[in-house]
Amino acid sequence: MNWTHSSKVIVLAVLLTVSLGTAGTAAAFSFDDSGVSDEMEVGQQQTATVVMEEPFAERNPGWTLVVDSEFDNAGITITATTVSGEQIQNSGQGSAELTLDREGINEVEIEASGSVPEIEQYSYENPEQEEFVAVRVNDSASGVIETWDVKRYTEQSREARNKLDEASEVAGEDSNSLSSARTLYNSGEFEESITESESVINDAESSEQTQTLLFVGAGVVVLLLLAGGGYYVYSQRSRNTNKLQ
């Protein structure tokens, strides 16, 4: 019994040590994605650039990097740079790949460019549906490593969304009065959505002004009552004083 218990303790200790050792040595890929915009306008030519640092942090030399993008007419360029400054490059349309087989490679720049595609379905409630994949980095053997989704907009959709945001702040997120404006936005009828949102804002502001006037009016009435009561008390005291005299 004691030997069995001790064996279990030893096995658990070994497993814990291995687990901690693995956690301490494993490292995820690191990317500099400052070259990817948060949002892009539909129909415009744009470029998204990411830099993979330490490409062998999770892979041994010899693995193949595959990059694709949802840009229209996407052009993709992969450039690997070694410690000595030597560069290995490959390009493609729609996708490109490069086998990283030199230990000296310490950085890989990935550039995707093209026209921002049209938005197939607008959704005010789920803005992620309006995003597109600007850059997707894959390992040819194991699949997706990292994806950069970017918001898309047109001038009208941005104006309509901003106006809806403003109306939501004024009327409240759950206001039923905004349902029509949201439905129009989701249907791509942005001018009508803007008009509905402005109507909600105007109604809310008008209601607020009315409430303010009512509060002011109520305050004036209270003051008049207080003033009248004070005058009544004063006159009664004056009468009583005159009677005593």
Side-chain angles (χ1 to χ4, degrees):
M1 291 291 290
N2 290 337
W3 182 88
T4 304
H5 177 72
S6 299
S7 299
K8 288 181 179 179
V9 171
I10 293 171
V11 170
L12 287 174
V14 170
L15 290 176
L16 181 61
T17 302
V18 171
S19 176
L20 290 174
T22 303
T25 56
F29 284 112
S30 175
F31 291 90
D32 176 359
D33 58 3
S34 58
V36 181
S37 301
D38 292 331
E39 56 182 15
M40 297 180 182
E41 185 175 356
V42 170
Q44 297 296 309
Q45 286 292 126
Q46 296 285 349
T47 298
T49 303
V50 297
V51 178
M52 175 187 285
E53 300 163 346
E54 299 182 16
F56 302 128
E58 286 192 337
R59 305 286 191 278
N60 293 321
W63 70 279
T64 300
L65 175 69
V66 181
V67 179
D68 64 284
S69 171
E70 291 182 355
F71 276 120
D72 285 340
N73 300 315
I76 297 172
T77 301
I78 306 172
T79 305
T81 304
T82 66
V83 177
S84 62
E86 181 184 0
Q87 292 188 332
I88 307 97
Q89 189 177 85
N90 192 33
S91 301
Q93 289 294 119
S95 66
E97 63 180 58
L98 184 66
T99 299
L100 307 178
D101 54 4
R102 301 188 188 183
E103 292 186 6
I105 295 174
N106 66 338
E107 180 180 281
V108 181
E109 182 183 85
I110 300 158
E111 180 180 284
S113 61
S115 178
V116 180
E118 295 288 336
I119 300 172
E120 295 180 0
Q121 179 60 56
Y122 288 93
S123 176
Y124 177 77
E125 297 84 355
N126 301 300
E128 63 275 5
Q129 290 186 17
E130 300 175 5
E131 298 175 350
F132 80 107
V133 177
V135 181
R136 180 164 41 224
V137 177
N138 313 272
D139 179 337
S140 63
S142 60
V144 178
I145 294 174
E146 189 64 81
T147 300
W148 285 266
D149 298 314
V150 176
K151 298 176 185 176
R152 285 175 290 181
Y153 68 92
T154 64
E155 288 186 9
Q156 283 190 318
S157 73
R158 170 185 269 181
E159 184 180 355
R161 179 175 285 279
N162 289 341
K163 190 60 67 175
L164 262 167
D165 289 344
E166 183 182 348
S168 297
E169 290 180 6
V170 173
E173 287 286 345
D174 300 325
S175 174
N176 291 328
S177 57
L178 285 172
S179 60
S180 177
R182 291 189 184 114
T183 299
L184 288 166
Y185 176 92
N186 295 342
S187 300
E189 300 175 57
F190 302 121
E191 290 186 10
E192 292 82 355
S193 176
I194 291 169
T195 300
E196 286 290 327
S197 296
E198 288 176 339
S199 177
V200 170
I201 293 169
N202 292 335
D203 289 346
E205 290 178 345
S206 176
S207 176
E208 186 178 348
Q209 289 174 357
T210 300
Q211 289 180 353
T212 301
L213 290 173
L214 288 173
F215 283 132
V216 170
V220 170
V221 169
V222 170
L223 288 174
L224 289 174
L225 289 172
L226 290 173
Y231 177 74
Y232 174 77
V233 171
Y234 172 76
S235 11
Q236 288 297 105
R237 286 180 178 176
S238 296
R239 288 179 184 177
N240 292 337
T241 302
N242 291 335
K243 286 180 181 180
L244 290 173
Q245 291 177 348

